[in-house]
């Protein structure tokens, strides 16, 4: 029986120690659409109980504003503006105000760290939360529009355009709300900015543009929801200008893409801090 030299055994052990162990490959990063669907379902189930009472508040607020304006506005183009602005105000209350508060609290209590550890694209987190919050505005917006048409004697014929106004206005306002919440240094400031944004939507969206001073009319053009309001208001006429309606919706869509892109950038910036 032969003996193996001690030096050979030591050299063999050294070579074995120098060989790195195989590292298990990391799982593939989730694709955008599946991740978006997962975040949307999670946010929808989470916010269903907490946000439904606030949705009733937003609807009653908009209906109450229309009742008050009924004593000032009789009909015509001003009635179109009041009904359209009050309907989109429901979207602003939820998608702008509440979403700013949500992302502000998420950043303040460290909730962003949880999302940062998941293999989920940042755009999926922002878009999923925005879509979930905007979904809560659908019943309230429809109820407000139907009640407003009854109050001011407007036709219900073209209310199907809400199928485009709600998601496009919701995307624009939700992106703005998410960006405000993510960029605000404190949750209290995010809440303040969200409420100020909703107040701007109330002032500039519900009041007829003809009764505003010139500088407020320019400020109205900068508000993302203005183009959704204009698109809906045009459909109440006897012969709607569908080209102008399509143009307003296209502008609203462009603003929505831009605001969601800014919100995604703000999420990346807040998540790495």
């Amino acid at each position: 029986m032969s003996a193996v030299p001690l030096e050979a055994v030591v050299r063999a052990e050294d070579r074995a120690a120098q060989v790195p162990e195989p590292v298990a490959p990391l799982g593939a990063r989730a694709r955008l659409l599946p991740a978006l669907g997962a975040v949307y379902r999670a946010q929808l189930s989470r916010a269903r109980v907490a946000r439904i009472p606030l949705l009733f508040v937003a609807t009653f607020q908009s209906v109450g504003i229309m009742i008050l304006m009924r004593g000032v506005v009789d009909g015509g183009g001003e009635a179109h503006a009041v009904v359209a602005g009050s309907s989109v105000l429901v979207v602003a209350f939820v998608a702008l105000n509440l979403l700013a508060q949500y992302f502000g609290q998420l950043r303040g209590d460290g909730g962003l760290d949880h999302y940062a550890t998941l293999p989920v694209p940042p755009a999926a987190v922002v878009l999923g939360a925005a879509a979930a919050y905007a979904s809560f505005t659908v019943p309230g917006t429809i109820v407000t529009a139907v009640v407003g048409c009854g109050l001011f004697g407007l036709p219900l014929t073209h209310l199907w355009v809400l199928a485009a106004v709600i998601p496009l206005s919701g995307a624009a306002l939700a992106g703005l709300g998410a960006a405000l919440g993510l960029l605000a240094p404190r949750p209290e400031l995010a809440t303040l900015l969200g409420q100020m944004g909703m107040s701007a939507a109330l002032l500039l969206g519900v009041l007829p543009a003809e009764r505003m001073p010139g500088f407020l009319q320019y400020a109205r053009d900068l508000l993302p929801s203005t183009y959704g309001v204009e698109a809906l208001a045009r459909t109440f006429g006897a012969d709607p200008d569908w080209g102008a309606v399509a143009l307003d919706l296209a502008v609203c869509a462009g603003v929505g893409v831009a605001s969601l892109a800014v919100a995604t950038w703000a999420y990346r910036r807040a998540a790495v801090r």
Side-chain angles (χ1 to χ4, degrees):
M1 184 174 63
S2 61
V4 179
L6 180 61
E7 294 81 0
V9 174
V10 172
R11 286 196 297 270
E13 290 178 351
D14 291 340
R15 286 195 299 270
Q18 292 174 1
V19 176
E21 296 182 359
V23 180
L26 295 176
R29 191 174 183 84
R31 292 177 297 173
L32 177 62
L33 291 181
L36 174 60
V39 173
Y40 173 78
R41 290 190 297 270
Q43 289 291 337
L44 199 64
S45 61
R46 175 188 176 277
R48 184 177 299 152
V49 176
R51 302 308 178 192
I52 284 180
L54 295 176
L55 175 60
F56 282 111
V57 172
T59 305
F60 292 149
Q61 171 184 264
S62 295
V63 171
I65 289 172
M66 289 191 300
I67 293 174
L68 291 175
M69 294 298 292
R70 183 65 180 86
V72 180
V73 176
D74 294 328
E78 294 183 346
H80 301 173
V82 170
V83 175
S86 299
S87 301
V88 177
L89 182 62
V90 180
V91 182
F93 182 87
V94 177
L96 176 58
N97 186 20
L98 297 185
L99 202 60
Q101 295 181 32
Y102 169 72
F103 274 107
Q105 293 173 357
L106 198 66
R107 180 185 178 186
D109 61 13
L112 288 180
D113 298 336
H114 167 71
Y115 283 107
T117 59
L118 299 177
V120 177
V125 178
V126 174
L127 292 175
Y133 274 70
S135 297
F136 285 101
T137 67
V138 175
T141 304
I142 294 175
V143 169
T144 302
V146 171
V147 172
C149 289
L151 283 173
F152 291 92
L154 302 180
L156 301 172
T157 309
H158 302 302
L159 281 187
W160 55 264
V161 79
L162 286 173
V165 170
I166 293 175
L168 295 180
S169 299
L173 293 171
L176 179 59
L180 292 176
L182 290 167
L183 294 175
R186 296 192 305 274
E188 298 81 7
L189 186 57
T191 300
L192 175 63
L193 292 175
Q195 291 177 349
M196 290 179 62
M198 192 200 67
S199 299
L202 170 61
L203 173 64
L204 302 177
V206 176
L207 296 179
E210 296 79 9
R211 298 194 178 189
M212 294 182 184
F215 71 95
L216 283 182
Q217 293 185 17
Y218 289 115
R220 184 174 182 269
D221 294 336
L222 299 177
L223 190 67
S225 60
T226 297
Y227 304 97
V229 173
E230 290 290 338
L232 180 58
R234 294 180 192 275
T235 63
F236 292 133
D239 186 18
D241 185 354
W242 293 109
V245 172
L247 180 60
D248 287 329
L249 292 176
V251 173
C252 195
V255 174
V257 171
S259 65
L260 289 172
V262 172
T264 302
W265 168 82
Y267 171 82
R268 290 195 182 99
R269 178 176 179 271
V272 299
R273 284 193 161 189

